[in-house]
Amino acid sequence: MPNEHQFHTIISGFANTSADFKVWAEFLNIRVIAINPPPPAPPPRLFDKKAHKHILVPPRNVTPYRTVDVSIEDAAVKLADIADCQEAMIAHVARGLGFVFNPGTLPTPAETTLGPLTGPQLLHLILGWQQMDLGIFKTLMRLYGLVPSDPTVALHPGLTSDQRLAEVIVSWLAVIRADSIDFVTVQRLNKQQGPVPGLGTPLADLEQQYHRLVNNYLLLLAHLPYHLHGANP
């Protein structure tokens, strides 16, 4: 449990991001859905001969947690997919403004600049990117007149395992990834696959992809005022 407090803080940040992104995405999807409503859903079947009359109680889940490295590498992959969705948003806005946007590069690995880093040092960098991510996205929401959720507060976690907390990190990134993919699908944005993790240790991959995501949000935030001014002269 050496990384318990850092993992808890990262989880809290991703939960906060998920809440904000859901509000922002639903706000922007309203107009698109109103213009191009989806086909009506079929009526529910009143009688299904294949339906189970008695639902069996599922067995208790005794599957052990994955190792921290496996979970963190999975988190890095999901974060990379979120960054791909984000780049689809930037490309759309940049195209409307006549700017050139060429995605597909990764930031320089932190260890190249800072030298060999320990796990706690990489987690400290990840927490730094997360604070920037939270602040940028809340500023982005305010550009649309939306009220972001309250910022995260310092936690005093109880005892648990790093394996469990790493899996919770993955689960929150899975939620954000699903919402991001749904957003670019509804908006009909062109999502491309960008650089994938796998060049360093799992924590180094997660830090590098988070750095990439924050760089993208800074670029999107820089473009949006011009885009919104053009859309609402």
Side-chain angles (χ1 to χ4, degrees):
M1 299 174 285
N3 303 311
E4 180 182 343
H5 184 75
Q6 293 94 327
F7 279 2
H8 264 291
T9 306
I10 291 170
I11 288 166
S12 180
F14 282 141
N16 195 271
T17 296
S18 177
D20 282 347
F21 185 84
K22 183 176 178 62
V23 171
W24 183 76
E26 288 181 348
F27 173 79
L28 292 183
N29 283 346
I30 289 173
R31 182 173 181 272
V32 174
I33 294 173
I35 295 172
N36 301 293
R45 300 181 65 176
L46 300 180
F47 180 71
D48 188 353
K49 293 181 179 179
K50 296 180 181 179
H52 294 291
K53 300 300 181 183
H54 301 284
I55 300 176
L56 298 176
V57 178
R60 183 173 178 269
N61 183 12
V62 294
T63 304
Y65 293 121
R66 297 179 292 179
T67 65
V68 171
D69 280 352
V70 170
S71 298
I72 293 299
E73 193 63 37
D74 189 8
V77 170
K78 287 179 169 57
L79 199 58
D81 211 16
I82 295 167
D84 292 344
C85 294
Q86 185 188 56
E87 288 173 357
M89 304 174 204
I90 300 171
H92 172 73
V93 173
R95 187 165 53 251
L97 294 171
F99 295 160
V100 176
F101 174 61
N102 297 312
T105 58
L106 273 173
T108 302
E111 294 190 344
T112 301
T113 305
L114 303 175
L117 298 173
T118 64
Q121 288 172 324
L122 283 168
L123 284 171
H124 183 72
L125 281 174
I126 290 167
L127 285 167
W129 295 128
Q130 187 173 69
Q131 289 304 306
M132 290 186 66
D133 176 26
L134 291 169
I136 293 166
F137 198 79
K138 291 181 189 304
T139 302
L140 185 151
M141 290 182 70
R142 292 187 181 99
L143 285 174
Y144 286 89
L146 301 173
V147 179
S149 58
D150 292 333
T152 57
V153 296
L155 300 173
H156 299 282
L159 294 176
T160 187
S161 67
D162 285 356
Q163 288 87 349
R164 177 183 178 276
L165 294 174
E167 285 292 271
V168 177
I169 290 173
V170 173
S171 67
W172 274 115
L173 284 173
V175 171
I176 299 171
R177 174 183 176 272
D179 287 343
S180 299
I181 292 174
D182 178 71
F183 177 77
V184 298
T185 301
V186 171
Q187 296 287 328
R188 300 182 181 181
L189 305 181
N190 185 23
K191 177 178 175 290
Q192 304 291 328
Q193 181 173 329
V196 297
L199 302 177
T201 64
L203 275 178
D205 285 340
L206 185 66
E207 186 277 331
Q208 192 177 31
Q209 290 293 337
Y210 216 159
H211 188 175
R212 172 193 169 201
L213 184 140
V214 169
N215 285 349
N216 287 342
Y217 265 137
L218 283 169
L219 187 57
L220 183 61
L221 186 62
H223 284 358
L224 274 179
Y226 301 99
H227 173 67
L228 292 174
H229 177 73
N232 301 282

